[in-house]
């Protein structure tokens, strides 16, 4: 009886193990690893039957002409990884169900080494098998996850099978409706990471928030092992500290050092290396302090005005998700050209290349999880999903000094459940990372003639209030922009996190009436009026127009101007600069020159 039960539970685990993937170890890019990128064989599974009676994970093959096998992998039918599947095959353009991927690979891990499979991101639900064994499941489209595969991996001919289901989920994060294109697939790098038996699983190395001449933080080993010697090397600072792990595998870092602080004007990064028992992880880390004082944001103790822009993770010319270093350079170089010192990465965590290149280019960053507009806050499954995404995001990017804001929501509607969830998430983020600022983007501003007042309970619980306003586009101006009076009872900094309007590049319609709202001149006028208004908001600490470039959205199907694109870009979908680009660039140049 007992053996039958064990057999059944093993079979069940093999077939239906939906255990959560592990939270990925910190900084896979700085470790010994091999990339599994490239062409993967695929099977398209529109009715999502591959986990059931079609059993695609069994990778059945037709043995002869008479043998009848549907849903089989064929070497000629492939998709590139990383990359969304929607933009790779015309028949997958609007596809929102399951695609199965298969990759055969060899692995040169040493006898004593441990091996981990790591996904930089995959949208939206991912199930993974290796050599016929189900490893587990991950939900969430934009954060890294992984599985230890040491006991399963072979030297040759490993069969990796992945099912990605990109269907929008009512109690998902995001929910089932959002104003961006629902790109599905293995959208980020896939690494096979090799470590020693003992290795650095996580670490945080930063400027001590209370002492600008001290490096502080921690190193966490993968095991609760007392007395392991961990070497911390920062060659340029002549640091080669020897740390000892405690019984929980932690070691504390606290080093007095004279440092060059990181800033947009001087994006100084240091080479850092952590080693333990032959296992090393390398990184490049900057040191800076970020604080709020009254209605000011202070970077390295000095007030800062954020000259920002909103960026979706999309290369418009390719009509696809951005995923590579060269994609990151295109988006970040556009922001630099505009005169930005700040970017808001919307509405989900972007890939690591973007954050890292932004750090090198001196761009401060706002990152967010996709608690976006219509979220089923009353569904108890939602908060744990958001918590996991925040944990995965903060663990991945907590050593990126240019990230200064963690955002917990965008334009969510006040309710008992929403308020409670966001207030708790704000507290949890502060506990996870007390060294950065918590924010959220709100649309709740009450209006009384030309007086606009911030009005949302949750604003009390964030450090910086983001406000999305579309004066001149979705709502009319309440009067002369220079006479609009913004009011806040919260005594904290505000960022206008979205403003703007839609226009088609080179569309020179008459600017007099709203009907010509799709002209460049009409939107340029919105920007001119917004800029006039900004000068009269005493607690304004930054602005971020919506949006860097036209982006794809199934919400935006108006036939003559949108054709599936949201046209609020300062750049067209081909990267052409609209009039509003030049209005904003000139404003940012004036700000940079201090007037
Ligand atoms: C909202 C939202 C964006 C959206 C934009 C728009 O504020 O945050 O995701 O694309 O407005 O309506 O264009």
């Amino acid at each position: 009886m007992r053996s039958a039960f064990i057999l059944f539970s093993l079979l069940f685990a093999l077939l239906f193990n939906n255990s959560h993937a592990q939270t990925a170890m910190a900084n896979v890019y700085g470790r010994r690893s091999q990339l599994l990128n490239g062409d993967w064989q695929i099977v398209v599974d529109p009715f999502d039957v591959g986990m059931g009676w079609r059993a695609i994970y069994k990778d059945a093959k037709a043995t002869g002409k008479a043998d009848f096998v549907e849903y089989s992998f064929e070497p000629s039918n492939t998709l590139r990884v990383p990359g969304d599947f929607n933009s790779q095959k015309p028949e997958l353009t609007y596809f929102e169900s399951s695609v199965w991927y298969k990759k055969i690979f060899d692995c040169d891990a040493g006898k004593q080494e441990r091996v981990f499979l790591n996904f930089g991101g995959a949208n939206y639900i991912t199930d993974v098998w290796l050599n016929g064994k189900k490893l587990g499941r991950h939900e969430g489209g934009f954060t890294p996850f992984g599985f230890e595969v040491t006991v399963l991996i072979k030297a040759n001919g490993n069969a990796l099978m992945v099912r990605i289901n990109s269907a929008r989920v009512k109690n998902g994060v995001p929910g089932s409706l959002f104003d961006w294109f629902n790109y599905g697939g293995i959208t980020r790098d896939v690494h096979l990471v090799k470590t020693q038996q003992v290795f650095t699983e996580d670490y945080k190395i930063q400027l001590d928030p209370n002492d600008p001449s001290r490096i502080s933080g921690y190193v966490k080993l993968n095991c609760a092992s007392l007395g392991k010697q961990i070497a911390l090397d920062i060659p340029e600072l002549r640091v080669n500290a020897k740390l000892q792990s405690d019984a929980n595998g932690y070691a504390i870092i606290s080093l007095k050092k004279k440092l060059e602080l990181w800033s947009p004007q001087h994006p100084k990064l240091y080479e850092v290396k952590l080693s333990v028992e032959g296992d090393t992880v390398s990184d490049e880390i900057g040191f800076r302090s970020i604080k709020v004082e009254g209605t000011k944001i202070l970077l390295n103790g000095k007030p800062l005005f954020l000259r920002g822009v909103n960026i979706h993770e999309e290369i418009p010319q390719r009509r696809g998700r951005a995923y590579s270093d060269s994609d990151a350079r295109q988006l970040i170089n556009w922001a630099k050209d505009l005169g930005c010192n700040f970017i808001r990465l919307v509405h989900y965590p972007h890939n690591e290349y973007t954050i890292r290149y932004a750090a090198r280019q001196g761009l401060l960053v706002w990152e967010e999880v996709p608690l976006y507009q219509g979220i089923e806050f009353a569904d108890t499954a939602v908060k744990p999903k958001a918590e996991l995404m925040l944990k995965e995001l903060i663990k991945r990017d907590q050593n990126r000094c240019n990230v200064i804001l963690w955002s917990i929501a965008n334009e969510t509607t006040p309710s008992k459940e929403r308020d409670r969830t966001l207030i708790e998430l704000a507290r949890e983020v502060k506990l996870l990372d007390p060294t950065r600022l918590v924010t959220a983007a709100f649309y709740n501003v009450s209006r009384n003639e030309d007086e606009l007042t911030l009005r949302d309970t949750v604003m009390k619980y964030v450090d910086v209030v983001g406000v999305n306003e579309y004066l001149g586009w979705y709502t009319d101006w309440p009067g002369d922009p220079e006479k609009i009076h913004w009011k806040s009872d919260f005594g904290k900094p505000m960022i206008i996190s979205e403003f703007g309007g839609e226009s088609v590049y080179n569309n020179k319609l008459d600017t007099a009436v709203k009907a010509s709202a799709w002209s460049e001149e009409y939107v340029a006028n919105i920007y001119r009026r917004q800029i006039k208004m900004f000068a009269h908001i005493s607690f304004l600490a930054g602005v971020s127009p919506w949006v860097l470039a036209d982006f794809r959205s199934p919400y935006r199907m108006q036939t003559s101007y949108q054709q599936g694109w949201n046209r609020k870009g300062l750049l067209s979908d081909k990267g052409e600069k609209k009039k509003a680009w030049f209005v904003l660039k000139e404003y940012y140049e004036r700000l940079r020159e201090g007037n």
Side-chain angles (χ1 to χ4, degrees), residues 37 72 74 101 105 129 142 144 162 196 207 212 263 286 334 372 405 441 451 460 505 510 524 577 583:
N37 291 355
S72 65
E74 298 303 330
Y101 292 76
F105 66 92
W129 291 258
F142 306 96
V162 180
Q196 297 303 317
L207 189 71
S263 70
W334 274 343
Y372 174 92
L405 290 152
E451 190 170 83
K460 226 178 347 209
Y505 176 69
D510 164 19
K577 293 170 181 171
V583 173

Side-chain angles (χ1 to χ4, degrees), residues 179 347 372-373 410-411 468 470 474 498 546 551 556 566 568:
D179 191 17
H347 283 291
Y372 174 92
Q373 293 183 358
N410 180 76
E411 297 189 350
N468 296 350
Y470 283 89
Y474 291 127
E498 291 183 27
W546 189 261
F551 63 93
R556 309 291 173 166
N566 181 313
K568 294 190 184 70

Side-chain angles (χ1 to χ4, degrees), residues 415-432:
S415 73
K416 192 164 53 65
E417 296 86 3
R418 170 266 198 180
D419 292 1
R420 187 183 60 244
T421 302
L422 295 190
I423 291 167
E424 287 170 3
L425 286 181
R427 282 206 189 102
E428 288 162 23
V429 168
K430 262 332 216 192
L431 287 174
L432 274 174

Side-chain angles (χ1 to χ4, degrees), residues 545-558:
W546 189 261
V547 64
L548 177 66
D550 289 356
F551 63 93
R552 295 177 68 199
S553 167
Y555 267 179
R556 309 291 173 166
M557 304 308 280
Q558 195 258 15

Side-chain angles (χ1 to χ4, degrees), residues 185 248 349 367 469:
N248 298 312
E367 288 200 274
E469 48 89 358

Side-chain angles (χ1 to χ4, degrees), residues 244-494:
Q244 297 291 326
S245 65
D246 66 16
N248 298 312
Y250 276 87
I252 298 302
I253 301 169
S254 181
L255 301 165
K256 197 84 178 152
K257 267 296 160 189
K258 191 151 175 35
L259 296 151
E260 288 177 53
L261 297 186
W262 184 96
S263 70
Q265 300 80 1
H266 183 56
K268 173 67 184 170
L269 298 173
Y270 290 91
E271 292 302 319
V272 174
K273 192 165 88 169
L274 285 166
S275 319
V276 57
E277 297 196 351
D279 192 89
T280 62
V281 52
S282 308
D283 209 340
E284 46 176 22
I285 290 182
F287 299 96
R288 57 95 188 102
S289 78
I290 192 76
K291 287 192 169 72
V292 161
E293 200 170 80
T295 61
K296 301 287 176 215
I297 296 175
L298 305 184
L299 176 72
N300 301 329
K302 295 196 198 90
L304 171 77
F305 190 86
L306 298 170
R307 309 187 306 270
V309 69
N310 282 287
I311 302 180
H312 260 300
E313 189 181 46
E314 183 182 72
I315 298 299
Q317 303 95 322
R318 191 173 67 224
R319 302 165 63 90
R321 272 268 170 263
Y323 59 80
S324 65
D325 186 47
S326 61
D327 288 348
R329 288 165 188 271
Q330 171 179 312
L331 298 174
I332 298 299
N333 291 342
W334 274 343
K336 291 288 287 182
D337 183 11
L338 183 57
C340 297
N341 64 357
F342 170 64
I343 52 178
R344 177 183 176 221
L345 298 180
V346 290
H347 283 291
Y348 36 76
H350 289 211
N351 67 75
E352 278 197 75
Y353 292 110
T354 298
I355 321 295
R356 287 176 179 275
Y357 186 62
R360 284 185 223 117
Q361 292 299 310
L363 284 171
L364 294 153
V365 174
W366 158 324
E367 288 200 274
E368 64 189 57
V369 291
L371 279 172
Y372 174 92
Q373 293 183 358
I375 295 288
E376 296 290 319
F377 285 106
D379 184 320
T380 53
V382 166
K383 183 165 177 271
K385 292 178 185 178
E387 286 169 333
L388 177 62
M389 290 177 193
L390 282 162
K391 190 171 147 231
E392 291 170 333
L393 169 61
I394 291 172
K395 179 172 181 181
R396 187 193 78 174
D397 290 348
Q398 64 180 354
N399 291 300
R400 306 281 72 79
C401 67
N402 57 321
V403 176
I404 56 168
L405 290 152
W406 301 121
S407 175
I408 54 175
N410 180 76
E411 297 189 350
T412 51
T413 303
S415 73
K416 192 164 53 65
E417 296 86 3
R418 170 266 198 180
D419 292 1
R420 187 183 60 244
T421 302
L422 295 190
I423 291 167
E424 287 170 3
L425 286 181
R427 282 206 189 102
E428 288 162 23
V429 168
K430 262 332 216 192
L431 287 174
L432 274 174
D433 181 2
T435 68
R436 286 179 174 83
L437 306 174
V438 177
T439 189
F442 301 89
Y443 63 79
N444 329 67
V445 172
S446 67
R447 181 167 164 162
N448 174 11
E449 291 179 2
D450 64 0
E451 190 170 83
L452 303 177
T453 308
L454 303 191
R455 186 86 65 214
D456 189 305
T457 308
V458 175
M459 290 177 179
K460 226 178 347 209
Y461 297 89
V462 296
D463 298 312
V464 175
V465 174
V467 170
N468 296 350
E469 48 89 358
Y470 283 89
L471 295 170
W473 182 256
Y474 291 127
T475 55
D476 291 337
W477 289 94
D480 176 345
E482 297 185 273
K483 294 201 172 50
I484 292 170
H485 181 51
W486 282 80
K487 269 188 68 190
S488 161
D489 302 332
F490 298 104
K492 53 186 71 171
M494 172 176 78

